[in-house]
Amino acid sequence: PSDEGRGYASEAARALASWALAQPDVLAVQATIEPDNPASLRVAAKAGLWKVGELETDEDGLVEVWETRASGG
């Protein structure tokens, strides 16, 4: 709570995606996010991911699929 809104989650997500995409066999990073979770949607956007679709899952129902890809990938 005292750290909410300070950008820590966005910074961590951005660093994780960057690290993952630097790995030799990683072409993309994906996140599935429940559409009624605006904070997570903002984190994904700030981390450089884009909404690429939706998916129906048994566990969470309808989720949005967000993704970023390696350069040239």
Side-chain angles (χ1 to χ4, degrees):
S2 64
D3 291 327
E4 284 182 11
R6 294 183 182 222
Y8 297 136
S10 298
E11 183 178 341
R14 192 170 27 255
L16 180 59
S18 179
W19 175 85
L21 292 172
Q23 304 311 301
D25 295 328
V26 176
L27 301 177
V29 171
Q30 284 191 338
T32 55
I33 306 168
E34 295 179 17
D36 62 352
N37 188 338
S40 292
L41 296 171
R42 281 192 303 274
V43 167
K46 289 181 180 180
L49 282 73
W50 295 273
K51 182 179 174 185
V52 295
E54 296 178 335
L55 178 67
E56 186 76 29
T57 69
D58 291 336
E59 186 175 334
D60 296 316
L62 183 68
V63 294
E64 294 185 6
V65 180
W66 288 65
E67 176 179 281
T68 187
R69 300 187 69 73
S71 298

